[in-house]
Amino acid sequence: MHWGRRGAAAADAPPLPRTAVELRDVTHAYGERTVLSDVTLTLTESRIGVIGANGSGKSTFARLLNGLVVPTAGTVLVDGLDTRTQVREVRRQVGFVFQDPDAQIVHPTVAEDVAFGPTNQGRPADEIARRVDEVLDRYGLDGHRDHPAHLLSGGQKQLLAIAGVLVMEPQRVVFDEPTTLLDLVNTRRVAEVIEGLRQDVVVVTHHLDLLARFDRVLVFEDGRLAADGSPAEAVPWYVARNA
Amino acid sequence: MLSLYAPGTSPVHRTRAGLKLAALAALGTGLFALPRIEVVAAALVGVLVAGLVVARLPARALWAQVRPVWLLLAALFGVHLLVTDALTGTVTVLRLLTLVLAAAVVTATTRVTALVAVVEWLLRPLEVVGVRPARVGLMVAMTLRFIPVVAERAARIREAQAARGASGMRLGLLVPLLIQVLQLASTLGEALDARGADDVPARRPRRA
Ligand SMILES: Nc1ncnc2c1ncn2[C@@H]1O[C@H](COP(=O)(O)OP(=O)(O)OP(=O)(O)O)[C@@H](O)[C@H]1O
Ligand SMILES: [Mg+2]
């Protein structure tokens, strides 16, 4: 287990393996307020959890991974792509699921919303139709394709939001508290969906039990990486720390 | 107007959205150009047949569209009784009723994306002056999507305030609602970015 910084100094690091997210000396401030300091990390694992107190910088960290936030200092590389200069390519690689499904569903009905991302990618209509069918089927939304999105349950809305991201076939998916607004049953359902993804995932969560079978857990504290290890190490450390 | 699409495979459903909108426009123009009772009555019957028989829409769905304007129609008829005559009043009221029903049939048998595609197509000539049809289309779709979301949040805030003893519709509703809407909008902006809304190709592939 590593405490604090992990990995070698960034500047003269060798070229990146193709399948990694690398943060080099990343610092981020909103105006005067620094919310992430000096984070250096290489993420190669397929299941990575991120935990920490409210305001510790988890969401900022998550947003760095697909260029929604660009660091004020340092570099974020996704499979070698710099989020500062190659943000479009990065966003094609990294899908993002937010906490509030209502804020990420943009079309009035289910199937139309799922088609939104691939349409933006400029894919041909028949391919879009095929992919939409496939993900709706996979996430049990097939019977709801023409339903108004606002009539879905909270859990179904979050599955719809996830479907709308996965239909774009990203290499990785970042989830920022995907289960915070859901009840127990839907939390479990979404957790199963995440577990079953073939993509690499990063999941920010306050639901610690979601992380039991993850490969690696990062703990943030006041904008710093406070702990980094397996769930069996990092989660109890975090719990004890906040007892 | 919201999310009224009732899926189906009838000829009315399968007719292209542009054609349906054009027919709607033609019907409106025609009814005003020929304000005669036979014409208006025939149009009304035609619309009802298209909606109830051909498209097999439930009568309830059409009624839901008429109900909000029912009083207005009755009042209009009353005014005509006073200032003109019953026949003119009947023609005027039936004409509006026909148009409301026709619009209801179109919205119930056409996906929002298809309607939006027509809007985008109509706007295409404006591209030369810098209008981005795809953007306007997205805005229309998002408006339809977020009206019920915002209405629901407003209702939730009102409930929370009522639970704490507040009563009636008060200005106090607006501040928390505004905060929620701004939060929603901020995440929505990020979600649009994350889902590639900025990559909008010059021509969107058409569907349905
Ligand atoms: N857009 C912004 N502008 C200014 N400050 C912000 C912005 N976004 C976040 N912050 C601040 O940055 C700090 C870290 O926020 P962040 O959202 O990354 O924390 P978090 O760990 O995700 O918290 P939570 O568990 O509450 O979601 C907080 O103090 C927050 O108030
Ligand atoms: Mg957060």
Side-chain angles (χ1 to χ4, degrees):
Chain A
M1 179 151 180
H2 304 260
W3 306 97
R5 287 173 56 129
R6 174 187 168 110
D12 47 6
L16 221 89
R18 282 278 105 186
T19 57
V21 175
E22 181 154 328
L23 285 82
R24 298 180 179 168
D25 295 320
V26 166
T27 291
H28 189 72
Y30 294 105
E32 296 283 276
R33 204 177 131 75
T34 301
V35 299
L36 273 185
S37 320
D38 272 333
V39 179
T40 295
L41 273 173
T42 303
L43 307 175
T44 52
E45 294 80 0
S46 156
R47 295 290 180 268
I48 295 174
V50 178
I51 56 180
N54 291 133
S56 56
K58 305 181 298 296
S59 295
T60 306
F61 171 77
R63 282 163 166 74
L64 285 168
L65 304 182
N66 78 334
L68 282 174
V69 165
V70 172
T72 36
T75 310
V76 180
L77 298 172
V78 177
D79 296 336
L81 300 166
D82 189 327
T83 61
R84 187 174 281 119
T85 53
Q86 292 161 291
V87 69
R88 284 202 178 182
E89 291 83 347
V90 168
R91 295 220 179 116
R92 279 184 171 240
Q93 306 262 338
V94 187
F96 201 104
V97 175
F98 298 84
Q99 173 181 335
D100 182 355
D102 265 334
Q104 37 191 333
I105 300 170
V106 301
H107 274 283
T109 64
V110 170
E112 289 174 320
D113 187 71
V114 175
F116 178 67
T119 306
N120 290 336
Q121 292 177 322
R123 297 187 190 274
D126 55 338
E127 188 193 333
I128 294 175
R130 185 174 49 69
R131 286 182 181 218
V132 169
D133 287 348
E134 191 201 34
V135 299
L136 287 180
D137 191 43
R138 197 174 340 138
Y139 297 112
L141 292 166
D142 204 33
H144 302 281
R145 43 174 42 247
D146 291 310
H147 272 217
H150 76 274
L151 296 183
L152 297 177
S153 75
Q156 285 172 326
K157 279 186 200 168
Q158 193 59 290
L159 288 173
L160 170 57
I162 293 172
V165 169
L166 291 174
V167 73
M168 299 172 76
E169 300 192 339
Q171 303 293 310
R172 312 164 179 283
V173 188
V174 178
F175 294 85
D176 191 358
E177 300 195 28
T179 56
T180 299
L181 299 175
L182 305 184
D183 64 21
L184 215 57
V185 171
N186 284 304
T187 295
R188 206 174 300 135
R189 176 96 174 83
V190 168
E192 280 165 12
V193 165
I194 294 173
E195 201 163 295
L197 293 179
R198 57 176 179 74
Q199 279 90 349
D200 289 352
V201 303
V202 174
V203 182
V204 176
T205 188
H206 293 293
H207 285 157
L208 303 179
D209 42 343
L210 293 188
L211 306 177
R213 277 185 284 179
F214 273 41
D215 302 316
R216 182 171 172 190
V217 173
L218 313 175
V219 185
F220 281 90
E221 219 175 66
D222 293 329
R224 290 178 185 279
L225 189 61
D228 176 356
S230 72
E233 299 166 319
V235 172
W237 182 85
Y238 171 64
V239 172
R241 185 98 165 163
N242 290 278
Chain B
M1 263 303 288
L2 297 171
S3 46
L4 295 168
Y5 181 64
T9 54
S10 77
V12 184
H13 283 88
R14 289 197 314 259
T15 304
R16 296 180 52 126
L19 208 59
K20 281 185 268 191
L21 287 178
L24 192 58
L27 182 67
T29 318
L31 289 183
F32 279 91
L34 297 169
R36 307 220 319 263
I37 185 74
E38 323 75 275
V39 175
V40 175
L44 179 58
V45 171
V47 168
L48 286 174
V49 168
L52 298 173
V53 181
V54 184
R56 299 188 163 280
L57 297 172
R60 197 167 26 84
L62 295 186
W63 170 242
Q65 296 305 295
V66 174
R67 200 176 40 195
V69 293
W70 189 239
L71 269 180
L72 175 76
L73 294 177
L76 202 59
F77 188 67
V79 171
H80 271 284
L81 279 186
L82 292 177
V83 298
T84 59
D85 55 278
L87 183 64
T88 317
T90 309
V91 169
T92 309
V93 166
L94 287 187
R95 184 166 61 191
L96 282 177
L97 183 65
T98 306
L99 288 176
V100 169
L101 286 169
V105 171
V106 171
T107 44
T109 57
T110 316
R111 283 174 213 280
V112 171
T113 25
L115 290 174
V116 165
V118 176
V119 172
E120 291 177 12
W121 178 79
L122 288 172
L123 287 173
R124 213 168 297 150
L126 295 183
E127 253 171 330
V128 289
V129 295
V131 173
R132 292 173 65 185
R135 275 300 157 89
V136 180
L138 179 58
M139 233 169 61
V140 173
M142 287 200 326
T143 306
L144 293 174
R145 153 81 185 127
F146 280 97
I147 287 171
V149 174
V150 173
E152 197 203 341
R153 305 236 159 157
R156 229 185 283 157
I157 294 170
R158 208 177 295 137
E159 274 171 19
Q161 293 185 341
R164 287 156 59 196
S167 65
M169 168 77 188
R170 303 184 329 153
L171 204 62
L173 174 70
L174 284 180
V175 177
L177 184 61
L178 192 66
I179 292 170
Q180 287 203 11
V181 168
L182 289 176
Q183 266 167 2
L184 203 59
S186 138
T187 310
L188 177 63
E190 292 189 312
L192 285 172
D193 273 349
R195 294 178 71 186
D198 245 353
D199 292 346
V200 175
R203 267 185 58 106
R204 318 188 80 175
R206 294 181 72 116
R207 274 193 70 205

